[in-house]
Amino acid sequence: MPRPLWTGAISFGLVTIPIKVVSATENHAISFHQYHREDMGRVRTRKVCELDGEVLSQEEIGKGYEVAEGRTVPVTDEELDRMPLPTAKAIEIVAFVEADSIDPVRISDSYYLAVDGQVAAKPYALLRKALERSDKVAVAKFAWHNRERLGLLRVREDAIVLHAMRWPDEIRSPESLAPRETELDEEEIARAVQLTDSMALDDLSGFRDHYREALEELLAAKSEGKVLPAGAEDEEREPGKVMDLMAALNASVQEAKESRGEDATVHEMTPGRPRARKKAGAAAKGAAAGTAAKGTAGAGAAGKRGAGPGTGGASTGEKRTAGRKTAGKRTAAKKTASGKTASGKTASGKTAAAGKRAAATPAAKKRTAS
């Protein structure tokens, strides 16, 4: 296990968990020394007093705060140790929150919290299980290098991790950095989303530091007197060149699919007009259609009035003529039906009169006989 950076305890309500703080990360960067080019002598940084010009040791150096130009107030380590800091040597849990509510920009360095002694095993496991089942993270305060800090506790595999966090007033606002509002076409957005899908990964373990590997090869070749490896050729890009956004998206999608061994066939999408312009075009088309409809109606009215030999007027005249013929036929039919009805009535009247005369004849005969 790496050397502990700090020892203390986790305060979980009335439960105290003795722990050791261990760095969760390690730096693999290659560092260089500074040297004198003429004789390869090491160049070292020395702390020199600006008044007498003497080199000072660490024991001779103290802390001070400049309250005004030329006036510094000295502060000793003993005075700092007597500061009323309740979280000194303790990680005090103050709240539990949803993990999604923490902005990643606030997270700084990460540390593992290891149990300090067998007595800490059970309460450590209890806190770990509570974090797992609640699906939350713990927010804590702790003291580090003579200042109080905010921390985030979560579970990683079987260990509890402490993430140092920045205070809310330490986060700068990105408001002034955001670009002005820009019109985007829906096809461009769809292609960008397709690019994100083609570049999606479930595991990031395959990434490597290619620069560090190339630097190690360079140092090995120089130390062994071998030929230096060839440098990488960077693609030159003209500064300020206007980029075809849709063409770049299409090429990016194709390249991403080829790198993953997928079918690299990309159906190119051509950029269209932004939404606002489309709406304006639709409104113009609607206005044009309305004007045309009004023109047609006007032409029809003119045709009815007999003004103008246009197509609309001829068509309307033909319809009017056909309507008149139809109306004539209907009138004739009504007259015929009326005539038939009248004939029927006349026939009925004649029949009734003949019947009456027939009935009256025997009576007359009887009166004559008597």
Side-chain angles (χ1 to χ4, degrees), residues 114-329:
V115 293
D116 189 8
Q118 187 60 33
V119 68
K122 186 171 183 178
Y124 185 96
L126 177 64
L127 175 59
R128 182 185 63 195
K129 190 63 67 176
L131 290 172
E132 289 176 344
R133 292 197 178 181
S134 65
D135 198 22
K136 296 182 183 297
V137 295
V139 178
K141 291 183 178 181
F142 66 101
W144 190 272
H145 297 303
N146 293 324
R147 59 169 295 192
E148 191 172 47
R149 300 196 178 191
L150 201 62
L152 176 71
L153 272 65
R154 70 177 184 89
V155 178
R156 185 178 186 272
E157 297 179 0
D158 292 333
I160 298 177
V161 183
L162 169 65
H163 298 285
M165 293 176 55
R166 301 187 182 277
W167 297 97
D169 58 357
E170 294 179 328
I171 306 301
R172 294 175 178 173
S173 172
E175 182 178 358
S176 61
L177 306 177
R180 65 179 186 275
E181 294 185 5
T182 306
E183 292 182 352
L184 295 175
D185 188 81
E186 287 297 329
E187 295 177 353
E188 294 172 344
I189 299 175
R191 180 61 77 191
V193 172
Q194 184 180 0
L195 178 58
T196 61
D197 293 338
S198 62
M199 296 177 64
L201 288 178
D202 296 329
D203 186 14
L204 300 179
S205 60
F207 289 98
R208 304 192 315 274
D209 187 352
H210 294 287
Y211 177 80
R212 180 172 61 86
E213 293 176 354
L215 186 56
E216 289 175 349
E217 293 178 3
L218 174 65
L219 295 176
K222 289 184 70 70
S223 62
E224 298 174 3
K226 296 181 179 180
V227 179
L228 299 182
E233 297 181 0
D234 294 334
E235 180 182 356
E236 295 184 359
R237 295 184 179 179
E238 298 180 10
K241 185 178 180 180
V242 179
M243 178 181 58
D244 187 344
L245 183 58
M246 185 58 72
L249 289 172
N250 289 331
S252 300
V253 172
Q254 183 174 359
E255 182 180 354
K257 289 187 175 183
E258 288 177 352
S259 63
R260 300 180 63 170
E262 299 179 2
D263 183 11
T265 302
V266 177
H267 301 286
E268 293 191 0
M269 299 174 66
T270 56
R273 294 182 178 178
R275 276 178 169 264
R277 296 179 182 176
K278 286 184 176 180
K279 290 181 179 179
K285 289 181 180 179
T291 304
K294 290 180 180 178
T296 305
K304 288 181 180 180
R305 290 192 300 269
T311 305
S315 176
T316 308
E318 291 176 1
K319 291 181 179 179
R320 188 168 59 250
T321 303
R324 289 177 178 177
K325 291 180 179 180
T326 304
K329 290 180 179 180

